[in-house]
Amino acid sequence: MSDKETVTTEVKESRNFIEQIIDKDLAEGVYDTVNTRFPPEPNGYLHIGHAKSILLNYGLSQKYGGKFNLRFDDTNPTKEKTEFVESIKADVKWLGAEWEDRLLFASDYFGQMYEAAVKLIKKGKAYVSDLTAEQIREYRGSLTEPGKEDPSATRSIEENLQLFEDMKSGKFADGEKVLRARIDMASPNINMRDPVIYRVAHMSHHNTGDEWCIYPMYDFAHPIEDAIEGITHSICTLEFEDHRPLYDWVVRELEYPHPPKQIEFAKLYLTNVVTGKRYIKKLVEDGIVDGWDDPRLVSIAALRRRGFTPESIKLFVDLCGISKSQSSVDYAMLEYCIREDLKGKAPRMMAVLDPVKLIIDNYPEGQTEYVTAVNNPDNEALGSRQVPFGKELYIEREDFMEEPPKKYFRMFPGNEVRLMNAYFVTCTGCVKDENGKITEVHCTYDPETRGGNSNDGRKVKGTIHWVSAAHAVKAEVRLYENIIDEEKGVYNEDGSLNLNPNSLTVMRECCLEPAFAGAKAYDSFQFVRQGFFCVDSKDTTEDKPVFNRIVSLKSSYVLPK
Ligand code: ATP
Ligand code: MG
């Protein structure tokens, strides 16, 4: 590629506001590289919103040739667990974001954070306070009233150093003392009114065990972590905008040579979809869902299990764009993305979810022949396969009606339809059990229509998929709807979730064509007329595969311009 071509492609590409800030920083020499991080707190599973943050941060580091760190923000031992650390690593990796050897933990810097706090005390910029949490809240004032000076603020540097060391060595109970930054009790920004930066908590930490009984607060710890790691652009979500002056204060007062810059963007929300950890945790605990990876959830683990691909999530995040204003995206857009990704990748095969037997009365008993089926009409490279056909087949129960309404073009007595890739058949009737349930549908076939086309120009309006009864692979198939009853909104008046009682439908007697044998966890297929499905990684057994419907085929969704 010539230099000229490089220039034109760069000009054409539109830059989001974060890239514009970075471009300016690089042009003005503020930074000479772009290092980013994804800083999850290991207190739950990641969800689709986190995927946006991961792909944004990783994408920027790649685009500008910098580094990407995975750093656990594990400064609050109460809610953090190793289980979450492992799940987060798996999710970030699955999305394709590579941290190389930079798997980092905020807790690894506890020593440096302690030293940083001592440095502030020595500069007269921090003091140990005797106020209780409640008093601190009272003294803090409000949006309209300034705060009041903390009576402990007059302590000498020596006294503060001694008390802080006593905090560290376990001389105080939880809540008895805190370390506060000395900034400005009258600041219009409440975050700047002498924020607490260290607290006493006699608690074991998942990484450092009982080494520490004091822990740094997030607003103090986060800028230090960024600065230690040489992060240039510390990208976070909008709720931290008001904390930015404190972030800058910490970096400045600690005199880090390469101060990182915080930039905020709007969180990703999905309309009528639950992402809050608190709610998901309750659904898990109440047994309403089958764990954090239940395919009805939008945790990354759940999306993966349902059959979403990293490519589909990337496409989704790209389409959402990066913005400063809060908005909510339709779940249908996520569905659009997975259809786009799978349509040329997943083989299209026949599966009958709610089977009823179809018997071809004039077909030779015991005969099997093979018909050719194209594996993916959108991708010739996937080739074709041979599908067994015989006298007894399964078709969808809903593809036969004894007394059809108008415009029903499938099977009913006297009607001719196409069995996909096979023959034209004419329905002759059905057999019922003593309860009136249809147990068999009967038809005759026209041997002249092999391949599913007549040679006399005869047309049929309906095409039906089928599976040879003698060769069928039995499977369980799970169909999903939103776990929320969208008509009623997400929450009830008491704050509980408005659950959709029909969010899961289990089809236990499904019949699949034999080409499905050997399908492995996470393999995806298009089931003719039914949608895209993925082999469930949790409940599939040797004897019985379980499939999750990722998404149905059709949608009225139109991509926004
Ligand atoms: P939640 O409350 O939804 O569980 P969180 O903010 O508590 O999320 P963290 O582990 O603190 O979860 O988040 C890690 C990173 O992911 C942060 O930088 C945060 O800003 C970002 N993030 C969290 N939720 C979203 C979202 N919905 N959209 C984009 N980024 C998000
Ligand atoms: Mg958080």
Side-chain angles (χ1 to χ4, degrees):
M1 197 191 274
S2 74
D3 285 345
K4 209 168 158 200
E5 279 173 61
T6 323
V7 170
T8 30
T9 42
E10 274 180 13
V11 172
K12 259 194 216 149
E13 198 185 337
S14 69
R15 305 296 239 189
N16 65 46
F17 80 94
I18 297 181
E19 290 166 343
Q20 288 170 12
I21 294 174
I22 293 177
D23 287 344
K24 189 160 176 279
D25 284 344
L26 293 174
E28 291 174 356
V30 182
Y31 300 106
D32 55 11
T33 184
V34 176
N35 296 331
T36 59
R37 84 287 171 266
F38 174 64
E41 189 182 353
N43 63 355
Y45 282 67
L46 299 181
H47 56 64
I48 183 76
H50 296 112
K52 178 167 186 167
S53 176
I54 294 165
L55 294 171
L56 171 64
N57 279 294
Y58 179 66
L60 289 169
S61 73
Q62 292 309 101
K63 195 166 202 161
Y64 291 94
K67 293 192 167 115
F68 167 80
N69 296 357
L70 174 59
R71 181 215 307 147
F72 285 94
D73 224 318
D74 56 349
T75 52
N76 180 7
T78 26
K79 294 181 282 173
E80 295 159 5
K81 280 204 281 184
T82 310
E83 174 198 350
F84 297 134
V85 170
E86 292 310 316
S87 77
I88 290 171
K89 277 161 64 180
D91 291 346
V92 175
K93 192 171 243 160
W94 180 73
L95 283 171
E98 284 166 32
W99 59 84
E100 295 164 353
D101 58 348
R102 291 177 306 281
L103 173 66
L104 304 161
F105 290 85
S107 52
D108 289 340
Y109 314 135
F110 280 165
Q112 290 170 80
M113 290 175 188
Y114 178 79
E115 290 309 322
V118 168
K119 177 167 179 163
L120 290 183
I121 296 173
K122 286 183 177 159
K123 287 176 79 173
K125 298 285 183 174
Y127 58 91
V128 173
S129 168
D130 305 334
L131 295 185
T132 62
E134 203 175 310
Q135 287 170 322
I136 288 183
R137 221 171 298 126
E138 268 172 42
Y139 275 63
R140 196 183 288 139
S142 66
L143 286 174
T144 48
E145 276 169 83
K148 280 192 295 186
E149 282 303 317
D150 186 324
S152 320
T154 52
R155 280 196 167 116
S156 69
I157 287 173
E158 286 65 37
E159 202 181 346
N160 280 317
L161 285 172
Q162 185 58 52
L163 284 170
F164 188 49
E165 200 182 311
D166 293 345
M167 279 171 69
K168 179 181 169 236
S169 55
K171 295 213 175 120
F172 300 114
D174 292 5
E176 206 181 330
K177 296 268 187 279
V178 290
L179 184 70
R180 302 183 74 173
R182 189 196 309 280
I183 308 180
D184 179 7
M185 286 308 290
S187 169
N189 183 338
I190 293 181
N191 295 304
M192 299 297 272
R193 294 183 189 167
D194 293 12
V196 173
I197 59 176
Y198 253 100
R199 67 194 171 113
V200 178
H202 292 270
M203 224 178 277
S204 275
H205 186 280
H206 76 102
N207 221 12
T208 56
D210 295 322
E211 191 185 342
W212 295 90
C213 65
I214 53 171
Y215 291 97
M217 303 303 285
Y218 177 88
D219 280 337
F220 177 63
H222 202 82
I224 295 179
E225 295 155 26
D226 286 340
I228 290 174
E229 292 176 11
I231 299 302
T232 55
H233 297 83
S234 175
I235 295 162
C236 63
T237 37
L238 284 181
E239 71 272 25
F240 293 103
E241 199 164 21
D242 292 345
H243 299 238
R244 190 179 347 128
L246 178 52
Y247 184 102
D248 291 341
W249 183 91
V250 171
V251 169
R252 194 170 57 245
E253 291 299 337
L254 292 172
E255 300 160 59
Y256 284 108
H258 303 290
K261 174 183 278 188
Q262 177 178 308
I263 306 173
E264 310 86 17
F265 72 102
K267 274 193 173 178
L268 170 64
Y269 289 104
L270 285 173
T271 313
N272 288 329
V273 170
V274 194
T275 49
K277 275 172 204 160
R278 193 158 60 93
Y279 290 101
I280 293 179
K281 199 156 171 256
K282 183 139 179 21
L283 290 174
V284 174
E285 281 165 2
D286 293 353
I288 291 167
V289 296
D290 165 34
W292 286 85
D293 60 355
D294 185 290
R296 288 167 291 179
L297 301 174
V298 293
S299 60
I300 296 178
L303 292 167
R304 177 168 61 230
R305 182 172 167 200
R306 174 102 173 233
F308 283 84
T309 57
E311 293 78 6
S312 65
I313 309 279
K314 272 181 209 143
L315 177 61
F316 175 68
V317 164
D318 283 348
L319 288 174
C320 289
I322 307 296
S323 131
K324 269 269 184 198
S325 57
Q326 214 71 261
S327 68
S328 175
V329 179
D330 229 330
Y331 184 80
M333 189 154 122
L334 190 55
E335 295 188 319
Y336 165 87
C337 294
I338 186 66
R339 279 193 203 99
E340 279 298 295
D341 186 43
L342 290 183
K343 73 178 183 202
K345 278 188 192 168
R348 191 178 77 158
M349 311 224 279
M350 293 193 284
V352 175
L353 304 192
D354 181 16
V356 65
K357 239 188 201 157
L358 175 71
I359 298 172
I360 309 173
D361 292 322
N362 62 340
Y363 194 86
E365 192 86 44
Q367 177 174 309
T368 298
E369 66 179 299
Y370 286 83
V371 299
T372 305
V374 169
N375 283 336
N376 187 322
D378 292 317
N379 181 359
E380 264 182 43
L382 291 186
S384 62
R385 69 188 183 284
Q386 298 297 305
V387 187
F389 181 87
K391 186 180 179 75
E392 295 199 2
L393 309 173
Y394 288 112
I395 60 167
E396 297 287 353
R397 190 165 280 282
E398 62 168 31
D399 282 347
F400 171 79
M401 283 183 104
E402 215 177 355
E403 286 165 36
K406 274 200 177 121
K407 300 212 170 151
Y408 184 85
F409 300 123
R410 294 174 259 171
M411 284 222 155
F412 55 87
N415 191 38
E416 187 170 52
V417 298
R418 174 187 295 109
L419 292 177
M420 185 174 278
N421 301 312
Y423 291 101
F424 282 11
V425 291
T426 303
C427 182
T428 54
C430 66
V431 176
K432 295 181 197 170
D433 66 12
E434 62 276 16
N435 303 315
K437 188 176 176 191
I438 294 166
T439 53
E440 288 173 3
V441 177
H442 284 257
C443 67
T444 55
Y445 85 120
D446 176 357
E448 300 301 315
T449 55
R450 193 169 198 281
N453 295 301
S454 72
N455 45 22
D456 60 4
R458 206 159 88 238
K459 295 260 189 295
V460 288
K461 284 200 165 140
T463 298
I464 283 170
H465 64 279
W466 49 271
V467 167
S468 162
H471 303 87
V473 173
K474 296 280 180 211
E476 177 175 317
V477 171
R478 297 171 183 173
L479 308 177
Y480 302 104
E481 287 177 20
N482 191 348
I483 197 157
I484 295 299
D485 184 341
E486 295 180 19
E487 309 251 301
K488 295 197 201 138
V490 179
Y491 306 104
N492 291 310
E493 264 172 30
D494 65 358
S496 62
L497 294 173
N498 241 326
L499 295 173
N500 170 9
N502 304 317
S503 59
L504 169 65
T505 304
V506 182
M507 315 287 286
R508 293 201 165 79
E509 301 297 329
C510 306
C511 296
L512 318 185
E513 58 167 286
F516 278 101
K520 299 184 304 300
Y522 300 110
D523 284 353
S524 292
F525 301 89
Q526 183 182 147
F527 289 10
V528 168
R529 294 166 68 210
Q530 301 283 8
F532 290 101
F533 293 74
C534 177
V535 179
D536 189 77
S537 52
K538 208 162 166 180
D539 296 335
T540 290
T541 61
E542 290 254 325
D543 310 331
K544 197 161 193 182
V546 174
F547 287 82
N548 298 312
R549 177 148 73 188
I550 313 168
V551 66
S552 60
L553 288 179
K554 289 257 163 48
S555 123
S556 51
Y557 180 74
V558 186
L559 198 59
K561 289 243 162 62

